[in-house]
Amino acid sequence: MASLHPTTAMLAHRHSPAPSVSASSLSWSASIAVSRIPPAPGLALHPPVPPPASGNRQSPVVCAAWTRRSRGEAEQRPNRKSWKQRTDMYMRPFLLNVFFSKRFVHAKVMHRGTSKVIAVATTNAKDLRLTLPSLVDDNACRTIGRLIAERSMDADVFALAYEPKKNERIEGKLGIVIDTIKEHGIIFV
């Protein structure tokens, strides 16, 4: 009984408490107790793997958890659109376009997905050109807003979207057109 096999002599150490984890090692692999029992001769199939050092990105554990796209992947698909850019066409399909020239006011409602024009109104139309005293004043903008609202409702479109251009404010003539469309029952989303 005096001579014990080396593996049975190590069993007493196996039931000792696990080594404490220091506060600086926060990886999950640092909390695993390292086995102190040496393998039986001839049974070691793989060389022992040293525990990963903290802050080392070359260890397989950290690489598996690293989910950020590399620069090479980002260069392969540089023009990937955002979620809003991909879904906005379906969430707000009808878009209002308003254009003011020196002589006329033009407005149209388009479907984004198919680029079909749903409703058009312009002060350059023959009936408006002959009846309106001025083709670019506030009264002309109210008339264009009313016509766009009526023609959109005739086409069963009751919700529009307007995307202002960069540094464009919704005021003045543009504000009059949009407010008139709202007054005649069209919802802006």
Side-chain angles (χ1 to χ4, degrees):
M1 287 265 192
S3 69
L4 293 173
H5 192 271
T7 56
T8 56
M10 290 294 217
L11 286 177
H13 296 294
R14 185 176 185 191
H15 296 291
S16 64
S20 65
V21 179
S22 67
S24 65
S25 62
L26 298 176
S27 69
W28 64 271
S29 61
S31 63
I32 299 173
V34 180
S35 174
R36 295 181 189 160
I37 302 173
L43 289 180
L45 299 175
H46 300 289
V49 178
S54 62
N56 183 8
R57 289 198 175 158
Q58 299 300 323
S59 70
V61 174
V62 175
C63 288
W66 191 256
T67 58
R68 191 174 196 188
R69 289 191 331 172
S70 66
R71 287 187 182 185
E73 289 180 59
E75 288 172 1
Q76 290 173 0
R77 293 185 290 163
N79 294 330
R80 179 161 179 140
K81 293 182 178 179
S82 68
W83 175 256
K84 184 175 188 224
Q85 289 172 330
R86 286 181 279 163
T87 59
D88 202 36
M89 174 188 348
Y90 305 105
M91 302 300 286
R92 304 184 312 156
F94 298 103
L95 187 65
L96 173 69
N97 291 335
V98 183
F99 176 71
F100 300 97
S101 69
K102 289 183 179 180
R103 299 176 61 196
F104 306 109
V105 178
H106 307 279
K108 65 181 174 181
V109 177
M110 289 184 61
H111 188 269
R112 287 184 181 183
T114 59
S115 298
K116 278 189 162 184
V117 177
I118 307 299
V120 177
T122 178
T123 55
N124 195 18
K126 191 172 189 180
D127 57 343
L128 292 179
R129 206 175 14 181
L130 299 176
T131 57
L132 290 173
S134 173
L135 301 179
V136 291
D137 66 346
D138 296 349
N139 190 24
C141 293
R142 285 188 194 91
T143 305
I144 293 297
R146 181 179 51 81
L147 286 173
I148 285 289
E150 290 173 0
R151 293 173 183 175
S152 296
M153 288 176 146
D154 290 342
D156 291 331
V157 174
F158 298 95
L160 298 178
Y162 181 76
E163 291 182 355
K165 298 177 183 76
K166 189 176 179 182
N167 297 329
E168 183 180 28
R169 296 180 183 170
I170 300 177
E171 60 186 11
K173 293 178 183 178
L174 177 62
I176 291 171
V177 172
I178 292 176
D179 289 340
T180 307
I181 294 172
K182 286 180 186 177
E183 288 169 6
H184 285 87
I186 299 291
I187 301 168
F188 275 86
V189 290

